[in-house]
Amino acid sequence: MKAKEKIKHPTQTIPVRKGQTYHIWIDRLGTSGEGVGRYENFTVFVPNALPGENISVLIEEVKSSYARGHVKEILHTSPERVAPLCEIYDECGGCQLQHLSYDAQLDAKRAQVADALTHIGKLLQIPVKETMRAEQPWNYRNKMQFPIGVNKGKIMVGCFAQGSHKIINTENCHIQHTANNDLANAVRAIAEKLHIPIYNEDTHKGILRHIVGRVGRNNDLMAVIVTATKQLPRAKDFVRMLRERLPNLVSVHQNIQTYRNNVIMGRDTQLLWGRSTIIDSLGRLNFHISPRSFFQVNTRQAERLYEQALAYADLHGTETVIDAYCGTGTITLFLAQKARKVYGIEIVQPAILDARKNARDNHVKNAEFIVGDATDVMPALYKQGVRPDVVVVDPPRAGCTETVLRTFANMKPQRIVYVSCNPATLARDLAILKGVGYITQEVQPVDLFPHTSHVECLTKLVRRDLL
């Protein structure tokens, strides 16, 4: 018997070549804000290109199923193209959509969510509402994390260039709170004046690595100086000069990050001057923010996000709620205002300690915070007789495992409110929840990060047998 011959499948002919220029029409935006078009039915990704534009693109990278290139010339311009506000926008990797009008950004983010539901989740005819716009789409970030480096003898403080570790000197980031920009500029000048060595990630020598700024209520400013050494030379002078330049400064910390990696902050933090925390507010709730605390970077939009989560939860004061990825308890405490009892679950113990402190500070007595994996904690609560009416989930970008989703469903809540920062994993998880008896009623995109490609989503699901 003859051995079976290998069947040869025809391979797709790649119609583009690296270093060559082609004319293509852009059809849509990709998940990272780049333009996506096709040349002879072959996908091409082009940063800074917009839907509806005909461009001349120089191909820089070719893979088996797609290519990447950059715009050489715009032959037909989208009416939604605008001049970026930022002078370093073309170099910087912090924003991806400043060249697109704000209304069109909102439309694109809604389309991204709808496309993910249709093509990834195979969920058809799910109502996706218009993206909730930001009333203040500029200078909204209350937290800054800028690397510090040296280029040709000059100290650089700012954002990384897109896809690299090259620091773009940033004096006026238009999405940062102005107080954070003032801090970055002050640190650059002070480091130069005091001749403090700047950290080099290649040689692992030097001292100053990052500057972290956080702005709270009443524009109170916290500065965190991240160093590669335990000692900060001339620390007292550094603090004094910061205070002289920054009238809103109320807190200065040193964070020590000695490891040779890309993690911004280390485990050890010491207070150099002022308060140990600053305070910010979400609705009627106040939160103490320490150097490493999690807090939404867009306070006003976070309030609107949580208000919508509360509306989807549809609480009347008699319900039991589980917040399965509670972090420092921000959503949990919002829910506690309308629920009978709320359980917050989080695997990271320091976050739970912050959550408990936040509950005490806000005099919330009907919230209980538990350290552990939701997959383990929720069945244990069920055995104890806890029967949640509502489950709220706000997972990381990777979404939930199927085991976690089935754990939610096994507790048979009437409603699930899913908060997501990644439309692709949201769509995947909603499809799984559909298979275990939960129907997606609607999705509300929220623009927490204007001028970037990121979109946050809120989803309301109801148990099928209740419809």
Side-chain angles (χ1 to χ4, degrees):
M1 185 175 178
K2 292 183 179 180
K4 289 184 179 179
E5 294 182 3
K6 291 183 179 179
I7 299 173
K8 294 184 178 180
H9 296 282
T11 56
Q12 180 184 8
T13 301
I14 298 175
V16 299
R17 297 181 64 184
K18 183 177 178 180
Q20 298 297 307
T21 301
Y22 303 88
H23 292 175
I24 66 171
W25 284 93
I26 301 298
D27 303 316
R28 58 185 177 86
L29 289 180
T31 56
S32 298
E34 72 276 51
V36 183
R38 302 183 78 81
Y39 182 81
E40 294 184 5
N41 209 32
F42 189 77
T43 301
V44 181
F45 295 96
V46 189
N48 202 39
L50 295 176
E53 291 188 332
N54 186 14
I55 63 169
S56 172
V57 55
L58 176 65
I59 300 299
E60 298 173 320
E61 179 185 20
V62 179
K63 299 290 186 181
S64 60
S65 59
Y66 68 89
R68 295 186 184 276
H70 75 261
V71 176
K72 283 192 70 176
E73 183 182 2
I74 300 176
L75 306 171
H76 175 80
T77 303
S78 166
E80 299 297 344
R81 180 175 285 277
V82 296
L85 185 62
C86 181
E87 294 179 356
I88 58 172
Y89 176 64
D90 290 341
E91 303 173 72
C92 179
C95 298
Q96 300 82 40
L97 296 177
Q98 277 195 32
H99 59 295
L100 182 62
S101 74
Y102 188 54
D103 284 342
Q105 289 182 34
L106 299 175
D107 291 342
K109 291 181 180 186
R110 180 187 179 278
Q112 181 184 342
V113 175
D115 288 348
L117 294 177
T118 301
H119 297 115
I120 298 174
K122 309 302 180 187
L123 300 165
L124 307 179
Q125 299 180 329
I126 301 295
V128 180
K129 302 182 77 173
E130 291 186 5
T131 307
M132 193 180 291
R133 68 187 302 121
E135 295 174 0
Q136 183 180 326
W138 300 104
N139 300 114
Y140 59 84
R141 287 190 62 94
N142 58 41
K143 182 180 181 182
M144 168 194 70
Q145 298 181 135
F146 278 176
I148 306 173
V150 176
N151 185 23
K152 298 179 181 177
K154 291 188 64 176
I155 294 177
M156 316 292 280
V157 179
C159 300
F160 284 123
Q162 184 74 36
S164 81
H165 271 215
K166 176 187 175 185
I167 298 173
I168 305 299
N169 211 36
T170 309
E171 297 182 354
N172 183 22
C173 176
H174 292 284
I175 63 172
Q176 280 292 346
H177 192 290
T178 54
N180 281 331
N181 285 322
D182 293 341
L183 172 61
N185 293 330
V187 166
R188 187 186 300 107
I190 293 168
E192 188 171 332
K193 190 164 187 177
L194 297 180
H195 303 290
I196 297 178
I198 306 303
Y199 177 74
N200 183 309
E201 66 179 9
D202 295 324
T203 64
H204 197 49
K205 294 181 179 179
I207 295 174
L208 293 182
R209 294 183 72 146
H210 279 81
I211 180 66
V212 177
R214 309 195 73 156
V215 186
R217 192 173 61 193
N218 303 322
N219 291 333
D220 286 349
L221 175 63
M222 172 187 288
V224 185
I225 305 163
V226 183
T227 62
T229 56
K230 293 183 178 180
Q231 300 299 321
L232 172 61
R234 303 189 67 178
K236 290 183 179 179
D237 289 331
F238 207 120
V239 171
R240 174 181 55 79
M241 295 170 78
L242 280 175
R243 293 176 63 190
E244 289 172 354
R245 290 170 177 265
L246 304 166
N248 290 340
L249 187 69
V250 298
S251 175
V252 182
H253 296 256
Q254 179 193 357
N255 177 267
I256 300 162
Q257 212 304 51
T258 59
Y259 292 101
R260 194 167 190 161
N261 56 30
N262 294 328
V263 177
I264 293 173
M265 295 180 71
R267 295 177 182 177
D268 297 328
T269 304
Q270 58 189 35
L271 180 66
L272 299 181
W273 171 83
R275 304 180 204 161
S276 60
T277 63
I278 57 173
I279 297 175
D280 210 342
S281 304
L282 288 170
R284 293 179 295 174
L285 301 169
N286 297 321
F287 296 89
H288 282 269
I289 301 170
S290 61
R292 296 181 65 195
S293 294
F294 171 80
F295 195 75
Q296 291 283 5
V297 300
N298 188 336
T299 306
R300 176 60 191 126
Q301 284 297 88
E303 282 183 338
R304 300 180 72 194
L305 178 81
Y306 295 165
E307 287 164 359
Q308 187 63 53
L310 200 55
Y312 279 171
D314 192 20
L315 303 175
H316 302 281
T318 60
E319 294 87 357
T320 297
V321 182
I322 291 179
D323 181 5
Y325 293 82
C326 72
T328 57
T330 48
I331 293 182
T332 320
L333 298 180
F334 243 75
L335 296 164
Q337 297 174 97
K338 294 285 185 73
R340 182 184 66 82
K341 177 78 174 183
V342 183
Y343 295 89
I345 304 169
E346 173 59 55
I347 201 166
V348 180
Q349 185 175 24
I352 285 290
L353 297 177
D354 281 345
R356 290 170 180 164
K357 184 177 189 306
N358 287 331
R360 290 194 299 270
D361 290 345
N362 286 283
H363 309 290
V364 176
K365 297 181 179 180
N366 61 332
E368 181 178 336
F369 293 97
I370 304 168
V371 179
D373 189 320
T375 313
D376 302 321
V377 174
M378 291 179 71
L381 288 173
Y382 194 80
K383 286 182 180 178
Q384 295 168 21
V386 175
R387 300 293 183 267
D389 302 286
V390 179
V391 168
V392 176
V393 54
D394 184 4
R397 286 189 64 80
C400 301
T401 65
E402 186 167 344
T403 302
V404 167
L405 296 171
R406 289 185 179 278
T407 301
F408 299 157
N410 289 340
M411 298 189 84
K412 298 189 182 303
Q414 297 171 28
R415 293 174 296 284
I416 296 175
V417 180
Y418 193 133
V419 184
S420 170
C421 59
N422 185 342
T425 56
L426 171 67
R428 179 201 68 199
D429 290 355
L430 294 183
I432 294 170
L433 286 168
K434 180 180 179 182
V436 293
Y438 284 85
I439 302 302
T440 300
Q441 287 201 315
E442 71 175 37
V443 180
Q444 173 65 72
V446 182
D447 193 21
L448 249 69
F449 311 102
H451 309 295
T452 77
S453 57
H454 302 294
V455 57
E456 203 89 1
C457 291
L458 279 153
T459 304
K460 180 181 180 181
L461 299 101
V462 176
R463 208 170 70 212
R464 182 185 287 115
D465 61 3
L466 296 177
L467 295 175

